[in-house]
Amino acid sequence: MNTNVQNNPHAARAENDRKVLVRDQTPHIFRPIAFRSVTVRNRITVSPMCQYSAHDGVANDWHFQHLASRAVGGAGIVFTEVTHVEPRGRITPYCLGLWNDEQRDALARIVRFVKAQGAAPGIQIGHAGRKGSTARPWDGGKPLTVEQGGWQPIAPSPIPFTDGYPAPLEMDRKMIDDTIALFAANTQRAREAGFDIVELHAAHGYLIHEFLSPLSNHRSDRYGGSFENRTRFLFEVIDAVRSEWPDTMPLFVRISSVDWLEGGWDLESSVRLAQMLKAGGKVDLIDCSSGALDPRQKIKIHPGYQVPFAAEIRSRAGIATGAVGLINAPDLAEQIVANGQADLIIMARGMLNDPYWPLHAAKTLKTKIPWPVQYERGDIF
Ligand SMILES: Cc1cc2nc3c(=O)[nH]c(=O)nc-3n(C[C@H](O)[C@H](O)[C@H](O)COP(=O)(O)O)c2cc1C
């Protein structure tokens, strides 16, 4: 059980209401789900979303309102944007970090509030690899030189992301070991901050994905070449994270299920990886995203376009999955969970559009979920 339920009257009331609802044929997206010791109040998850608004990696009032308002809006899990394990692992100079205690304490304040609303706070942790050191999207998003406040990125192989990006520094063995240790230190601070769930960012062309994909990993040592070698870095990071993250707490992994390019990471690789993760018993859910390793990717986007990945991985690996990507209609979200294609619905842009999406979706699906008591008088439409 979410520990805050015991000493928070709002959460206790919500818990009680939920029990009644479940007996009453609640829509699937509003049914609770347990991951190890953490029970989440529904299947609606706020996807990690960079806000590019931190200074020195420290969360501030912007991050507070971003995460707090979505917990108030009824989401089951509220994920932070990716928090980076070291300064050169950031995407932009304005990304969040968790390499010092000041950063931990700023996140802890947000965690306390999110929990008090009955949502489970999750933290995504990662390293940007060769896609680090860029300007914020609204400043053009281009790579930054050292003179412009950037840094030299690191990667498994010295292959730039695309034209105009610098060649990253190829990681040597010591750099690999040091980076893995940074993931453990980041996780320790996440635990101290009070998060309920850790998600490893192994998707979207960032460092871990760069090791996984044969397009970005040309190494000839034990971290490159065969499938076993390319997945080794991820497994070592998982071991390091688990050394600091209790067995009672859930660990998710976000992957790019496919690179959308010939010769890249494909769905068979994802299924095989998920089967190994399931067998290893350290990971509880695969968050099934895709792409972003190489700008030559060819994607046909439509509502729910990545759901087939979540469904295939779930059925063939027997592990819980999260479906993400243009799932904005309540009916579609409901079908995905009801049909057993995924266990969680993970939403990004739809949640930017409407932080109260879960409260509104309940209306559309003709069910009732508890509103925060302070806002009950707004439940009029
Ligand atoms: C503003 C913004 C920031 C994002 N930042 C992250 C991030 O920090 N980590 C991550 O894994 N994905 C990130 N994404 C991708 C989303 O989590 C999500 O996978 C993607 O937007 C597709 O879901 P949607 O159609 O519901 O937006 C971001 C997306 C947006 C729109």
Side-chain angles (χ1 to χ4, degrees):
M1 180 194 292
N2 219 326
T3 45
N4 66 307
V5 164
Q6 283 145 10
N7 40 28
N8 178 320
H10 295 182
R13 182 172 151 275
E15 173 83 0
N16 207 33
D17 287 353
R18 266 197 302 282
K19 284 186 186 143
V20 174
L21 286 167
V22 168
R23 279 201 299 277
D24 287 350
Q25 299 293 305
T26 307
H28 293 74
I29 56 168
F30 290 107
R31 297 185 187 182
I33 182 168
F35 297 101
R36 300 190 190 231
S37 66
V38 176
T39 298
V40 179
R41 63 181 167 185
N42 61 46
R43 310 307 183 88
I44 305 162
T45 299
V46 178
S47 203
M49 277 181 277
C50 290
Q51 299 296 292
Y52 312 108
S53 299
H55 293 279
D56 300 324
V58 181
N60 55 42
D61 286 353
W62 180 262
H63 304 90
F64 184 92
Q65 78 72 30
H66 170 63
L67 300 167
S69 57
R70 283 151 188 89
V72 169
I77 302 172
V78 178
F79 270 110
T80 67
E81 68 191 75
V82 60
T83 62
H84 296 104
V85 300
E86 63 169 336
R88 75 173 159 190
R90 290 173 297 174
I91 303 166
T92 76
Y94 300 96
C95 286
L96 284 184
L98 194 43
W99 60 83
N100 66 40
D101 292 352
E102 184 189 1
Q103 294 161 344
R104 175 199 63 194
D105 295 345
L107 288 170
R109 170 176 170 246
I110 301 175
V111 163
R112 283 193 295 275
F113 184 88
V114 167
K115 279 186 172 174
Q117 306 315 308
I123 180 166
Q124 190 184 55
I125 67 178
H127 190 298
R130 70 179 184 179
K131 287 175 78 177
S133 186
T134 61
R136 300 189 277 201
W138 53 84
D139 293 332
K142 295 258 171 1
L144 293 174
T145 61
V146 173
E147 296 72 38
Q148 293 167 322
W151 53 88
Q152 185 178 24
I154 60 171
S157 300
I159 309 166
F161 171 57
T162 188
D163 291 347
Y165 275 68
L169 186 65
E170 181 175 9
M171 293 168 78
D172 61 18
R173 185 58 204 266
K174 178 168 182 325
M175 226 180 266
I176 289 178
D177 290 346
D178 290 349
T179 307
I180 291 168
L182 289 169
F183 274 93
N186 208 96
T187 306
Q188 182 189 352
R189 290 199 180 85
R191 176 163 51 79
E192 290 164 358
F195 283 99
D196 279 342
I197 302 170
V198 163
E199 173 169 281
L200 263 181
H201 198 348
H204 301 170
Y206 298 114
L207 186 67
I208 300 178
H209 187 183
E210 289 160 20
F211 273 92
L212 294 176
S213 175
L215 297 175
S216 46
N217 182 345
H218 291 186
R219 298 178 75 92
S220 53
D221 64 359
R222 60 200 293 273
Y223 292 94
S226 67
F227 178 87
E228 280 74 17
N229 283 357
R230 283 181 283 112
T231 55
R232 189 182 309 281
F233 181 71
L234 171 61
F235 279 98
E236 291 184 356
V237 169
I238 289 170
D239 286 347
V241 166
R242 266 288 171 212
S243 72
E244 294 295 341
W245 193 239
D247 283 347
T248 51
M249 306 294 281
L251 174 61
F252 296 179
V253 175
R254 171 166 272 195
I255 60 168
S256 281
S257 311
V258 298
D259 283 343
W260 298 109
L261 264 179
E262 200 64 33
W265 181 265
D266 58 12
L267 187 56
E268 280 311 303
S269 307
S270 291
V271 169
R272 192 169 161 198
L273 173 66
Q275 288 166 340
M276 288 163 70
L277 292 173
K278 168 76 180 172
K282 294 185 176 177
V283 169
D284 302 288
L285 177 137
I286 312 289
D287 174 350
C288 302
S289 188
S290 74
L293 181 96
D294 186 318
R296 292 171 300 168
Q297 65 187 19
K298 297 217 164 34
I299 314 182
K300 284 209 183 86
I301 289 175
H302 56 84
Y305 69 105
Q306 294 172 144
V307 174
F309 305 140
E312 181 99 358
I313 291 169
R314 189 174 189 269
S315 80
R316 288 179 56 199
I319 192 164
T321 58
V324 63
L326 286 182
I327 307 171
N328 297 322
D331 289 339
L332 175 60
E334 172 61 11
Q335 270 172 36
I336 292 166
V337 180
N339 294 343
Q341 292 170 292
D343 300 87
L344 295 181
I345 300 300
I346 304 176
M347 296 178 59
R349 289 164 292 181
M351 283 284 180
L352 293 185
N353 178 272
D354 179 8
Y356 304 130
W357 191 92
L359 299 176
H360 297 148
K363 284 255 181 281
T364 308
L365 296 177
K366 300 190 176 19
T367 191
K368 194 159 170 49
I369 62 167
W371 281 50
V373 282
Q374 298 91 333
Y375 279 14
E376 269 173 353
R377 292 179 70 185
D379 186 11
I380 51 175
F381 301 112

